[in-house]
Amino acid sequence: MLPLGQRVSQKITQVIKREMDATGAQEMLTPVLHPFELWKETNRNNEMGFELMKIADRREVEFVLGGTAEEMFVDVVRKYKLSYKDLPMNLYQFSLKFRDEIRARGGLLRVREFIMKDAYSFDVDEAAFQKSYEQIAVTYKNIFDKVGLSTKRVLADNGYIGGEYCHEYVVDSPVGESHYLYTEDGTYCAHTDVAEFERTKVNADETEKPFETFEQPQWVCTMEDNEKHYKLPKSHFLKNVVYKHRVTGEIIIAVLRGDLEVNKTKLEKALDATGQLENASDEDLHKLGTKTGYVHSWGHGDARYIGDVSLTAVKNFIGGQKEDKTDSRNVNYGRDFSCEKLADITMAKEGDTYKGKKLVAGRGIEVGNIFQLGYHYSHKMKGAEFTDKDGQLKPYYMGCYGIGVGRTLAAVVEIHHDDKGIIWPESVAPFQIHLVGLNLEDAAVKELAENTYKKLIGAGVEVLFDERTDVTAGEKFADADLIGIPLRAVVSKRTGDKIELKKRTEKTGELVALDSLLKPIQQA
Amino acid sequence: MLPLGQRVSQKITQVIKREMDATGAQEMLTPVLHPFELWKETNRNNEMGFELMKIADRREVEFVLGGTAEEMFVDVVRKYKLSYKDLPMNLYQFSLKFRDEIRARGGLLRVREFIMKDAYSFDVDEAAFQKSYEQIAVTYKNIFDKVGLSTKRVLADNGYIGGEYCHEYVVDSPVGESHYLYTEDGTYCAHTDVAEFERTKVNADETEKPFETFEQPQWVCTMEDNEKHYKLPKSHFLKNVVYKHRVTGEIIIAVLRGDLEVNKTKLEKALDATGQLENASDEDLHKLGTKTGYVHSWGHGDARYIGDVSLTAVKNFIGGQKEDKTDSRNVNYGRDFSCEKLADITMAKEGDTYKGKKLVAGRGIEVGNIFQLGYHYSHKMKGAEFTDKDGQLKPYYMGCYGIGVGRTLAAVVEIHHDDKGIIWPESVAPFQIHLVGLNLEDAAVKELAENTYKKLIGAGVEVLFDERTDVTAGEKFADADLIGIPLRAVVSKRTGDKIELKKRTEKTGELVALDSLLKPIQQA
């Protein structure tokens, strides 16, 4: 963060802090070097979805560079013998987080080291927690509104964080990585990793015909070949996608309707294997006795078959047992084959329905998220409990809440800019006013420019004074537009004893006297 | 940092920030993961005195957890083609620093992860730099004064930072690790690692007698044995201390007057081997063909002999070639033996003199330091240069400046406390007032307590409200003393419709009406 960015970052930090403090949350600070022992306590050291960075000190004690800090906060809180009277409690920090991302991207959107406001709530039970959760939900919306970001609250996957549900705060943007679906009445909005949708019956009228194997031209191999050859939509065909479990080495075959796509996050959830599946390699398929395009929907030795719930929405599938010159047809789930389990493992898309309502696709930048954690950590970490009214020790019911400061800054820029540069919202602008001095070789102009600067500074206004003498007026204006401070004040020969005041959002300004310069700023 | 400590830490941060901004310095922020490549550029990766923590990412790219950030700031600045018009420039940050300390100690005094304000100045030449350096020196004194710390500016060793000179800001305290010496007139104050002192002639009147080897009782081995046997002060004897160079494996023998002690930092400086010497082991001595107590001041094969300048201040030394039953006497430096070099390698102590003035010993906590860096980094790092008036590219003349926020906090506590707890100076107190409500089961008292709280909050006063109902008055008062907020306000049955206001520093308080409660706070 260079000086201007740092000022914006601090403004965003202050907005977040004020809103968090207003909820009764308390700021503190935990180290970024987390004892690895703590992560072992919750078994997160074995979850591969999370890009942990590990380091050993000179005594060979291992530390994790913190990516999130659930263990650290639980470890602090359990040191105190709290009672129900101390709850609810919400503790937060602004601290560095580390993710060993394969690819950083989008400037500040996805980076490997960043400042995050993370908060952790401790409640007596689920009902109390739900109040805390909704309070933070409202607070988050306010925070983003205040920094100039309109957000959607999107149901999302909680991944390596644990817990049962969570929400992302998403700012619509074509550069975002969060893809979601929503009903236009606003009653449902969910990330594609969790979005539910109805599998409409494809051919409810048909009766189940006898299973048969038959000859098929050898060129018919892909879904597109099927469509062309059979003149039937993709939904009539069986599709198999093969994965391998990173830790156990198991082969997982996802079986689904040909028009659908696997959502790996959903599949991992169905298998309780967050972040642990990878695409099977050619070698894996070879070991399985098959190859791409010839995977069977049943019968591959030890492979585990997981079916999408769509399998029961189609009668008389084609496919499922493709060999060199043959395939099978009239394949019916339950009669001719079945999977270890049927689950929601496929991706919803625009046009699908949820409770009868059409889903619309959206895309945006995730700037914050809130997680129900429940007892996920307090059950695993010994002593994470409080004394309840009845004198019994009970585990905390927890939640956690994050906002990426740098990503929020980047999202503000994505939303508030034109082709000339940034247009900072007043709440987070690095300075309130950009004072441009032109013709400073003229003593009178120079004096007015300096008096203007002093008057603004004296009034406590944050002012950036461009008093350079070796660049042209055009360069100064271009820089002002690029930097994007909401107000520009120009002092020059042309403005005489007045000052030209222009909003970054407007094309033309107006001439004002030095004495009335403060008015528009104080109104702002 | 728990919530109260975090508030103090932020207050200290604000004091530092205000004073730094007033100098024209600009805040920014660099990552804590430093590309290891940068450290190779300055060869700091090979200096052992610095406790670096290193980490590799998933692509096996190496990073250092930043301990100081000279390379990072030079790397940022060299990306811009600056000219002399942009200088002087001073950039600073508050960021996490890491030191792989063998032993953390003293609470926050010596830790492995801490927040430091570090600043880096870039000047056109030495004369300009000296102004920058003195400006920061004054600023540092102000900062420490404002947080309640009286500091001494102590000339110190710059160690792994490089450069030619530096100063520590030291708060006198018996728990500090900085030992220094000063003249009572205040003209000289230096850390023992650099403090110069005069070696007075021990026996200037004597004439050099002929060197001889003679029989010595076998029990005479240590300096104490010498004193006892010869009835002469230790200064008449030669002393040898053996070190090994960690990297080259060379054996270094320091030769000095028997009444002096080696200062390893001075010895390392004389050898240009910062942080690279360790005590020789018994095995090292064995390889040298000797053992403890029998090391010779000359003649041990490849060993390098470095003598203290005191060797020329004594005539007719005893010692230098102790064997089983013999030793040598009338040993004179230059005539009978000589070292590779004579240098200031011994420790000054109270009672020694500097320019004829007696040195007094002091001890304290180092809370800040300022370093001249000169061209140390700008010569090593390619492109670390600006365009001067004459159009030529010239290297930056640099300095750097650090304040440990946590250590400053700890020093404030060391200085401002009594046996009941902390006594925070107003400038850094976590809250301005500690409101203690007693007898809250009484509706009238409860109402007054809550009104008091609301009035204070409404006036923008930072107030900590102890509204607990399950602890005694004694416990509340003890907690208030422990926490150490400067003002304590008590509302109870006993105080009636008044409020008892007491300073943490005083034994008794006074009763004031709610309406006049704000006065002493706003005066504060």
Side-chain angles (χ1 to χ4, degrees):
Chain A
M1 283 289 174
L2 293 173
L4 289 169
Q6 179 68 4
R7 292 179 75 98
V8 176
S9 172
Q10 287 174 336
K11 294 257 173 111
I12 293 172
T13 299
Q14 282 310 309
V15 170
I16 298 171
K17 178 168 172 54
R18 269 196 301 271
E19 295 292 319
M20 288 302 295
D21 287 347
T23 69
Q26 294 184 79
E27 188 177 352
M28 50 174 281
L29 186 60
T30 64
V32 305
L33 288 180
H34 297 186
F36 191 46
E37 284 302 320
L38 281 180
W39 287 67
K40 286 184 188 159
E41 238 185 290
T42 57
N43 203 32
R44 285 217 288 179
N45 57 316
N46 284 326
E47 285 171 17
M48 310 286 288
F50 193 41
E51 289 75 17
L52 271 189
M53 293 187 86
K54 241 167 59 179
I55 196 167
D57 71 4
R58 59 203 301 157
R59 302 165 304 178
E60 295 303 315
V61 176
E62 286 182 309
F63 293 90
V64 167
L65 284 183
T68 66
E70 286 77 8
E71 288 85 355
M72 295 294 277
F73 277 80
V74 172
D75 191 50
V76 168
V77 169
R78 69 177 168 182
K79 291 192 165 80
Y80 298 85
K81 303 296 169 199
L82 298 187
S83 91
Y84 69 96
K85 289 183 196 166
D86 301 308
L87 306 181
M89 187 161 67
N90 193 330
L91 298 168
Y92 73 97
Q93 65 179 354
F94 289 89
S95 84
L96 279 182
K97 300 289 179 296
F98 300 85
R99 305 275 164 90
D100 197 357
E101 300 282 357
I102 300 175
R103 263 173 241 94
R105 67 169 286 277
L108 290 171
L109 285 178
R110 181 168 294 282
V111 293
R112 306 162 107 211
E113 175 182 333
F114 55 96
I115 293 175
M116 190 191 216
K117 187 285 296 170
D118 45 333
Y120 304 85
S121 69
F122 299 81
D123 276 290
V124 292
D125 58 22
E126 185 174 359
F129 162 76
Q130 272 162 358
K131 277 189 212 155
S132 300
Y133 192 76
E134 287 310 316
Q135 186 192 28
I136 297 290
V138 170
T139 299
Y140 268 36
K141 179 145 184 21
N142 289 343
I143 287 169
F144 294 121
D145 283 349
K146 286 200 170 145
V147 302
L149 295 177
S150 168
T151 50
K152 279 204 181 67
R153 175 177 168 177
V154 180
L155 192 65
D157 176 62
N158 37 18
Y160 57 82
I161 299 288
E164 290 148 64
Y165 56 88
C166 71
H167 291 90
E168 286 183 1
Y169 282 80
V170 175
V171 179
D172 281 350
S173 163
V175 303
E177 291 180 321
S178 274
H179 294 266
Y180 64 90
L181 293 147
Y182 62 101
T183 59
E184 280 189 335
D185 64 358
T187 54
Y188 188 68
C189 185
H191 194 283
T192 50
D193 286 344
V194 298
E196 295 174 33
F197 66 107
E198 280 134 1
R199 274 64 162 182
T200 42
K201 299 274 179 197
V202 167
N203 49 1
D205 302 340
E206 280 189 31
T207 53
E208 293 190 358
K209 296 179 208 160
F211 174 90
E212 58 181 18
T213 305
F214 65 104
E215 282 198 25
Q216 191 186 47
Q218 271 189 278
W219 65 266
V220 178
C221 201
T222 68
M223 266 317 137
E224 284 67 32
D225 300 338
N226 282 329
E227 275 187 302
K228 201 185 285 182
H229 181 62
Y230 294 98
K231 311 232 167 5
L232 280 173
K234 287 177 183 163
S235 54
H236 286 256
F237 302 89
L238 276 171
K239 176 167 161 180
N240 307 297
V241 187
V242 190
Y243 295 90
K244 188 160 88 170
H245 192 294
R246 281 200 185 101
V247 179
T248 66
E250 285 173 311
I251 296 295
I252 315 290
I253 302 180
V255 188
L256 50 146
R257 227 167 64 183
D259 60 327
L260 297 175
E261 300 291 335
V262 176
N263 178 292
K264 193 150 73 91
T265 303
K266 285 183 173 180
L267 178 61
E268 287 172 345
K269 193 139 214 168
L271 286 161
D272 194 17
T274 294
Q276 308 200 331
L277 296 191
E278 59 187 24
N279 294 334
S281 64
D282 287 347
E283 200 191 321
D284 293 327
L285 293 183
H286 184 73
K287 276 190 206 156
L288 213 58
T290 183
K291 60 184 177 181
T292 305
Y294 292 82
V295 176
H296 293 180
S297 300
W298 56 84
H300 280 304
D302 294 336
R304 294 176 64 181
Y305 284 92
I306 308 294
D308 184 61
V309 288
S310 60
L311 294 184
T312 60
V314 182
K315 286 179 180 151
N316 305 318
F317 273 117
I318 300 171
Q321 198 180 16
K322 180 173 173 51
E323 298 287 359
D324 199 19
K325 293 174 183 171
T326 64
D327 205 340
S328 51
R329 66 182 162 210
N330 302 333
V331 184
N332 285 283
Y333 185 80
R335 187 192 72 180
D336 306 317
F337 77 108
S338 55
C339 298
E340 177 183 324
K341 77 194 283 191
L342 290 186
D344 174 11
I345 61 169
T346 58
M347 190 105 73
K349 56 186 180 305
E350 188 157 270
D352 287 334
T353 57
Y354 175 79
K355 293 193 176 166
K357 295 170 193 160
K358 276 257 162 80
L359 290 171
V360 183
R363 177 181 182 176
I365 302 164
E366 171 204 351
V367 286
N369 39 38
I370 59 178
F371 296 86
Q372 177 263 20
L373 299 174
Y375 300 117
H376 188 85
Y377 291 87
S378 49
H379 274 163
K380 288 178 181 167
M381 295 182 73
K382 210 180 156 178
E385 52 200 9
F386 65 97
T387 307
D388 205 354
K389 275 182 192 159
D390 57 9
Q392 299 296 303
L393 290 176
K394 293 183 186 165
Y396 294 107
Y397 198 101
M398 290 180 58
C400 72
Y401 317 90
I403 295 179
V405 175
R407 197 187 278 182
T408 298
L409 185 156
V412 171
V413 176
E414 286 298 335
I415 301 300
H416 299 281
H417 72 272
D418 59 18
D419 56 359
K420 290 176 182 163
I422 304 172
I423 306 167
W424 292 111
E426 278 154 18
S427 57
V428 299
F431 290 91
Q432 291 172 281
I433 191 163
H434 192 134
L435 174 61
V436 177
L438 304 177
N439 318 119
L440 295 174
E441 65 289 351
D442 182 312
V445 175
K446 190 175 181 193
E447 195 189 336
L448 178 59
E450 286 177 353
N451 285 343
T452 306
Y453 179 67
K454 281 177 203 153
K455 188 181 174 83
L456 289 166
I457 290 289
V461 175
E462 297 167 315
V463 49
L464 179 65
F465 184 15
D466 185 348
E467 88 299 31
R468 289 176 295 174
T469 54
D470 54 353
V471 298
T472 66
E475 287 173 285
K476 289 192 172 194
F477 292 150
D479 282 349
D481 282 343
L482 185 65
I483 293 172
I485 292 166
L487 279 173
R488 188 188 77 187
V490 179
V491 176
S492 70
K493 254 187 209 163
R494 213 173 51 79
T495 64
D497 60 355
K498 294 266 187 7
I499 296 151
E500 190 209 60
L501 200 61
K502 184 184 93 62
K503 287 188 181 167
R504 173 67 178 81
T505 48
E506 288 173 7
K507 281 222 179 315
T508 53
E510 46 164 357
L511 289 176
V512 300
L514 176 52
D515 285 338
S516 54
L517 178 62
L518 287 175
K519 215 184 298 166
I521 299 163
Q522 280 155 351
Q523 281 167 348
Chain B
M1 282 291 174
L2 292 174
L4 289 170
Q6 179 67 6
R7 292 179 74 99
V8 176
S9 171
Q10 288 175 337
K11 293 258 173 109
I12 293 172
T13 299
Q14 282 311 308
V15 170
I16 298 171
K17 178 169 172 54
R18 269 196 301 273
E19 295 292 319
M20 288 302 294
D21 287 347
T23 69
Q26 294 184 78
E27 187 177 352
M28 51 174 280
L29 186 61
T30 64
V32 305
L33 288 179
H34 297 185
F36 191 46
E37 284 302 319
L38 281 179
W39 286 66
K40 287 184 187 160
E41 239 185 288
T42 57
N43 203 31
R44 285 217 287 180
N45 58 316
N46 283 327
E47 284 171 18
M48 309 287 289
F50 192 40
E51 288 77 17
L52 271 189
M53 294 189 85
K54 240 168 60 178
I55 195 167
D57 71 5
R58 59 202 301 154
R59 302 166 305 177
E60 296 303 317
V61 176
E62 286 182 308
F63 294 89
V64 166
L65 285 183
T68 66
E70 286 76 8
E71 288 86 353
M72 294 295 276
F73 277 80
V74 172
D75 191 50
V76 168
V77 169
R78 70 177 167 182
K79 290 191 166 78
Y80 298 85
K81 302 296 169 200
L82 298 187
S83 90
Y84 69 95
K85 289 183 196 167
D86 301 308
L87 306 181
M89 187 162 67
N90 192 329
L91 297 169
Y92 73 97
Q93 65 180 356
F94 289 90
S95 84
L96 279 182
K97 300 290 180 296
F98 299 84
R99 305 275 165 89
D100 197 356
E101 301 281 358
I102 299 174
R103 261 173 242 93
R105 68 170 284 278
L108 291 169
L109 286 179
R110 181 167 296 280
V111 293
R112 306 163 105 209
E113 175 183 333
F114 55 96
I115 292 174
M116 190 190 213
K117 188 285 298 171
D118 43 333
Y120 303 86
S121 69
F122 299 83
D123 275 290
V124 293
D125 58 22
E126 186 173 0
F129 162 75
Q130 272 163 357
K131 277 188 211 157
S132 300
Y133 192 77
E134 286 309 317
Q135 186 191 28
I136 297 290
V138 170
T139 299
Y140 268 35
K141 178 145 185 20
N142 289 343
I143 288 170
F144 294 120
D145 282 349
K146 286 201 171 147
V147 301
L149 295 177
S150 168
T151 50
K152 279 207 181 67
R153 176 178 168 176
V154 180
L155 191 65
D157 176 62
N158 37 18
Y160 57 82
I161 300 288
E164 291 148 64
Y165 55 88
C166 73
H167 292 88
E168 285 182 2
Y169 282 79
V170 175
V171 178
D172 281 350
S173 163
V175 303
E177 292 181 319
S178 274
H179 294 265
Y180 62 90
L181 293 146
Y182 62 101
T183 59
E184 279 189 335
D185 64 358
T187 54
Y188 189 68
C189 185
H191 195 283
T192 50
D193 285 344
V194 298
E196 296 174 33
F197 65 106
E198 280 137 358
R199 274 65 163 183
T200 42
K201 300 272 180 200
V202 168
N203 49 3
D205 301 341
E206 281 191 28
T207 53
E208 293 189 1
K209 297 180 206 157
F211 175 90
E212 58 182 20
T213 304
F214 65 104
E215 281 199 28
Q216 190 185 49
Q218 271 188 280
W219 65 266
V220 179
C221 201
T222 67
M223 266 320 135
E224 285 67 32
D225 299 338
N226 281 329
E227 276 188 300
K228 201 185 287 182
H229 182 61
Y230 294 100
K231 312 233 169 358
L232 280 172
K234 287 177 183 163
S235 55
H236 286 254
F237 303 89
L238 275 172
K239 175 166 163 179
N240 307 298
V241 187
V242 190
Y243 295 90
K244 187 159 87 168
H245 193 292
R246 281 200 185 99
V247 179
T248 65
E250 285 173 312
I251 295 295
I252 316 289
I253 302 180
V255 187
L256 49 147
R257 229 168 63 184
D259 60 327
L260 297 175
E261 300 292 334
V262 176
N263 178 293
K264 191 148 75 91
T265 303
K266 285 183 173 180
L267 178 61
E268 287 172 346
K269 194 141 213 166
L271 286 162
D272 194 15
T274 295
Q276 308 197 334
L277 297 191
E278 59 187 25
N279 294 334
S281 64
D282 286 349
E283 200 191 321
D284 293 327
L285 293 184
H286 183 74
K287 277 191 207 157
L288 213 61
T290 183
K291 60 182 177 179
T292 304
Y294 292 83
V295 177
H296 293 179
S297 300
W298 55 83
H300 279 304
D302 294 335
R304 295 176 63 183
Y305 284 93
I306 308 294
D308 184 62
V309 289
S310 59
L311 293 185
T312 59
V314 183
K315 285 181 181 150
N316 305 319
F317 272 116
I318 299 172
Q321 198 180 16
K322 178 171 174 54
E323 298 286 0
D324 199 20
K325 294 179 182 172
T326 63
D327 205 340
S328 50
R329 66 181 162 208
N330 302 332
V331 184
N332 285 283
Y333 185 80
R335 187 192 71 177
D336 305 316
F337 78 108
S338 55
C339 297
E340 178 184 321
K341 76 193 284 189
L342 290 186
D344 174 11
I345 61 169
T346 57
M347 190 105 72
K349 56 185 181 303
E350 187 157 270
D352 286 334
T353 58
Y354 174 79
K355 293 193 176 164
K357 295 170 194 160
K358 275 258 161 80
L359 290 170
V360 183
R363 176 180 183 177
I365 301 164
E366 172 203 352
V367 285
N369 39 38
I370 59 178
F371 295 87
Q372 178 263 22
L373 298 175
Y375 299 117
H376 188 83
Y377 291 87
S378 50
H379 275 162
K380 287 178 182 168
M381 295 182 72
K382 210 180 156 177
E385 51 201 10
F386 65 96
T387 307
D388 206 354
K389 275 183 191 158
D390 56 10
Q392 299 294 304
L393 290 176
K394 293 183 185 166
Y396 293 107
Y397 199 101
M398 289 180 58
C400 73
Y401 316 90
I403 296 179
V405 175
R407 196 186 280 182
T408 298
L409 185 156
V412 171
V413 176
E414 286 299 335
I415 301 300
H416 300 280
H417 72 271
D418 59 19
D419 56 0
K420 291 176 180 164
I422 304 171
I423 306 168
W424 292 112
E426 278 154 19
S427 58
V428 299
F431 290 90
Q432 291 171 280
I433 189 162
H434 192 134
L435 174 62
V436 177
L438 303 177
N439 318 118
L440 294 174
E441 66 289 351
D442 181 314
V445 175
K446 190 176 181 192
E447 196 190 334
L448 178 58
E450 286 176 354
N451 284 344
T452 306
Y453 179 66
K454 282 177 203 154
K455 188 181 174 88
L456 290 166
I457 290 288
V461 175
E462 297 166 315
V463 50
L464 179 65
F465 184 16
D466 186 347
E467 89 297 33
R468 290 176 294 176
T469 53
D470 54 352
V471 299
T472 65
E475 286 173 287
K476 288 192 174 194
F477 292 151
D479 282 349
D481 283 344
L482 185 65
I483 293 172
I485 292 167
L487 280 174
R488 188 187 78 187
V490 179
V491 176
S492 70
K493 255 187 212 166
R494 214 172 51 80
T495 64
D497 60 354
K498 294 265 186 14
I499 297 151
E500 189 210 60
L501 200 61
K502 184 186 91 68
K503 288 189 183 169
R504 174 65 177 84
T505 48
E506 287 173 7
K507 281 224 181 311
T508 54
E510 47 164 357
L511 288 176
V512 300
L514 176 52
D515 285 338
S516 54
L517 178 62
L518 288 175
K519 215 184 296 168
I521 298 163
Q522 281 155 350
Q523 282 169 346

